[in-house]
Amino acid sequence: MTAVQPKSDQATITVHNPADGRVAGTVPIEGAEAVAAKARELRLFQPEWEEIGPRGRKVWMNKWQDWILDNSEHLVEVLMSETGKSRSDASLEPVALADSIKYWAGNAEEFLSDRHPKPHSLLFKVKKLTTVYRPYPLVGIIEPWNFPLAMLALDVVPALAAGAAVLLKPSEVTPLSAVEFVRGWNEVGAPPILGLATGYGDTGAAVIENADYVHFTGSTATGRKVAVACAQQLKPFSLELGGKDPAIVLADADIERAANGIAWGGMFNSGQVCISVERVYVEAPVYDEFVAKLTDNVRSIRQGQESTGLKYDTGAMATPAQRDIVDRHVREAVADGARVLAGGKPTGVGTFFQPTVLADVTPTMSCIAEETFGPTLPVVKVADENEAVRLANDSVYGLSASVWTGDIERGERLARRLECGAVNINDALTNVFCPPLPMGGWKESGIGYRSGGANGLIKFCRQQAITAPKLPTQKSELMWYSSSRRQGKLALAAMRAMAGRGVRRVGLRPKN
């Protein structure tokens, strides 16, 4: 078991390392009253955090970034202890977090600067138009278990850079990394505007209840519940949910690169990545060659969890339940006629599941239709690119995809036909490492976006419109009640002249 389910009198969650079952640590289960108290305290300090502006916030965020890099080895150890990751997989997260802080803190001043839109009409040239970005006072963020630090880089960091206070609810499966994340903030002496609430679903519900804006990352089923709760409270929210990302391998692709990239894109973090490659469509002329190279790559993956060094490529599944989903998908595929070319079974140690390649897969199999979130790569043979695009789009999910081809322009054309939020050409997972790009899902993969440059900060802000006169003001405006009827007619005629085209500008009817 990764996390012990709470008993009626239980006050803590005990976290176990899924790779070997050892106890990794404990965190309290915080109820609604405790969460509400934390929210009230965060709100007390948020105005000052907003008031110091992007430059002031950057000072503290840079100190926090230094702490993360200085303590990266410790953070990696904590990550490994609660997730079962290999050291190789876990080592990327503190670096990604530091990179995120550098980006958002470094660009916040530009992204949040007042905007002065151009007046749409000559009548409004006398007005100064301004759009101001004011952060939501308290942002509630609920995160999953697959990337306990890297997920926070995508959501918590930009919310703080925007000037909001943040109340973070990590997954009950992997809360220990979030504890260290907040500890680092506090140790550098930063203002107390980052809070932590640990627990199960009731704790998450309390975070939603007390926040002004909510971001949730997790399953589609839970995302629906979050959306309903936010809608009932008229709270803005964003969701990143499930994925079933396709890879399309065209006959003109560099097959060796495609096999290397798809093996990594499907097996990184044991496939527990929202944008991991979960289904592969290969044009018939290169199907056999691709499958052979992919199988060789996957068979060579080193799986395990080391105490030191970088011995293993990937680690365990985060929970027994997730391992069992992977096992079911493989068994059902084999029962329906698929062939296992690599892996195919749990190892029998902890929650490890062998890196797996499935051939002769059909689109109706559960390993294609359902989100697996594990180390499997089912491969489907297709006649041409049109069939590949049709099958890739035949999903309730639409998070991201990849296209592998020797013709970049062709790849870009196919990308525009795919129904998903991101497409990587001749690469995998790249978009998540590019904060200037929006990251979001279509269809049942989510609502709203992460990152996306300035929009990644503006999403955590309320937009305020301000108008001000450019010229000395008069006692009355032409349309006000204190003006004469003649002045009102003049104002209406001027508005019509600006709104119309041709003879309609002067109130004449066009000739038939």
Side-chain angles (χ1 to χ4, degrees):
M1 294 290 288
T2 300
V4 178
Q5 294 299 314
K7 300 176 182 178
S8 59
D9 59 347
Q10 186 174 324
T12 61
I13 297 171
T14 301
V15 182
H16 296 257
N17 186 333
D20 55 25
R22 289 183 297 175
V23 172
T26 62
V27 295
I29 298 173
E30 297 182 277
E33 291 185 5
V35 172
K38 289 189 173 187
R40 288 192 296 270
E41 184 174 2
L42 291 168
R43 288 182 184 279
L44 289 176
F45 294 95
Q46 185 276 330
E48 181 181 349
W49 179 244
E50 179 182 353
E51 183 65 27
I52 64 175
R55 290 187 185 183
R57 295 193 288 270
K58 181 180 178 180
V59 171
W60 289 111
M61 296 184 76
N62 284 345
K63 291 181 179 181
W64 188 34
Q65 181 200 37
D66 291 342
W67 184 94
I68 288 164
L69 291 174
D70 292 344
N71 291 272
S72 60
E73 286 302 314
H74 171 67
L75 293 173
V76 168
E77 292 290 344
V78 174
L79 272 167
M80 292 173 64
S81 75
E82 65 179 348
T83 63
K85 291 176 186 275
S86 66
R87 187 174 296 276
S88 177
D89 280 348
S91 294
L92 289 175
E93 293 199 44
V95 177
L97 177 56
D99 187 56
S100 175
I101 295 170
K102 180 179 180 181
Y103 178 79
W104 293 115
N107 288 283
E109 184 172 10
E110 175 189 350
F111 292 165
L112 297 173
S113 61
D114 292 354
R115 301 290 190 266
H116 298 287
K118 181 181 178 181
H120 75 290
S121 165
L122 289 175
L123 296 177
F124 288 90
K125 284 286 189 179
V126 298
K127 298 291 185 182
K128 177 185 176 183
L129 308 181
T130 306
T131 302
V132 175
Y133 302 104
R134 299 277 306 281
Y136 289 101
L138 182 59
V139 171
I141 293 178
I142 303 173
E143 297 287 24
W145 42 258
N146 56 331
F147 287 97
L149 281 181
M151 284 291 178
L152 311 185
L154 293 172
D155 305 311
V156 175
V157 173
L160 292 173
V166 173
L167 182 54
L168 168 65
K169 193 276 178 188
S171 168
E172 62 272 18
V173 176
T174 56
L176 304 180
S177 295
V179 171
E180 298 304 303
F181 177 81
V182 175
R183 182 172 72 86
W185 179 263
N186 293 330
E187 283 195 0
V188 301
I193 43 78
L194 174 58
L196 182 68
T198 53
Y200 293 92
D202 289 345
T203 305
V207 169
I208 294 172
E209 179 72 27
N210 287 278
D212 301 305
Y213 180 100
V214 176
H215 174 80
F216 169 81
T217 303
S219 72
T220 298
T222 304
R224 285 193 177 95
K225 296 177 182 178
V226 172
V228 169
C230 289
Q232 289 175 336
Q233 300 173 43
L234 292 179
K235 281 180 184 173
F237 63 92
S238 55
L239 309 172
E240 185 176 301
L241 308 177
K244 192 70 182 177
D245 290 4
I248 295 175
V249 182
L250 302 176
D252 65 353
D254 180 333
I255 300 304
E256 185 172 359
R257 179 175 175 83
N260 289 337
I262 290 171
W264 180 73
M267 298 297 160
F268 176 62
N269 198 37
S270 289
Q272 299 168 114
V273 186
C274 55
I275 59 170
S276 65
V277 178
E278 288 220 2
R279 48 197 174 112
V280 187
Y281 300 102
V282 184
E283 285 192 304
V286 295
Y287 178 83
D288 291 337
E289 179 187 0
F290 172 81
V291 168
K293 289 184 181 294
L294 179 68
T295 301
D296 287 344
N297 286 343
V298 171
R299 284 176 177 168
S300 67
I301 290 174
R302 299 164 299 174
Q303 185 182 44
Q305 190 181 62
E306 61 277 69
S307 57
T308 59
L310 299 173
K311 181 178 179 181
Y312 298 109
D313 299 310
T314 193
M317 308 298 294
T319 70
Q322 197 59 45
R323 176 203 57 203
D324 293 344
I325 291 173
V326 179
D327 188 37
R328 175 175 64 81
H329 282 183
V330 172
R331 287 187 289 103
E332 289 175 349
V334 171
D336 290 339
R339 290 183 295 130
V340 175
L341 302 183
K345 296 179 181 179
T347 66
V349 176
T351 56
F352 287 96
F353 194 96
Q354 297 172 339
T356 299
V357 175
L358 296 170
D360 301 336
V361 175
T362 62
T364 59
M365 293 178 181
S366 59
C367 65
I368 292 290
E370 301 174 15
E371 184 177 29
T372 304
F373 219 63
T376 65
L377 283 167
V379 188
V380 180
K381 183 189 295 186
V382 296
D384 53 33
E385 67 178 50
N386 291 326
E387 183 182 16
V389 170
R390 177 177 62 81
L391 293 175
N393 288 339
D394 184 22
S395 174
V396 298
Y397 298 111
L399 199 51
S400 69
S402 62
V403 176
W404 303 82
T405 176
D407 184 342
I408 302 303
E409 291 185 359
R410 182 188 183 193
E412 291 179 343
R413 288 196 302 270
L414 257 65
R416 295 171 189 270
R417 296 171 59 190
L418 294 173
E419 297 170 357
C420 58
V423 181
N424 298 300
I425 298 172
N426 293 339
D427 211 336
L429 314 185
T430 307
N431 58 297
V432 76
F433 297 103
C434 300
L437 289 174
M439 182 181 179
W442 296 9
K443 299 189 271 190
E444 292 187 15
S445 286
I447 296 174
Y449 294 85
R450 295 158 135 179
S451 295
N455 289 333
L457 291 187
I458 291 171
K459 69 176 279 187
F460 294 113
C461 295
R462 301 159 294 176
Q463 298 186 44
Q464 185 178 48
I466 299 175
T467 70
K470 288 184 176 179
L471 302 175
T473 56
Q474 306 300 314
K475 298 296 183 183
S476 181
E477 296 287 335
L478 292 179
M479 294 294 290
W480 290 1
Y481 297 140
S482 54
S483 299
S484 68
R485 185 168 299 180
R486 180 174 176 274
Q487 288 174 317
K489 287 181 178 181
L490 284 173
L492 187 59
M495 292 174 66
R496 183 183 182 99
M498 293 297 104
R501 293 181 298 110
V503 295
R504 292 178 179 83
R505 295 183 66 184
V506 292
L508 297 178
R509 293 185 179 180
K511 294 180 180 180
N512 294 330

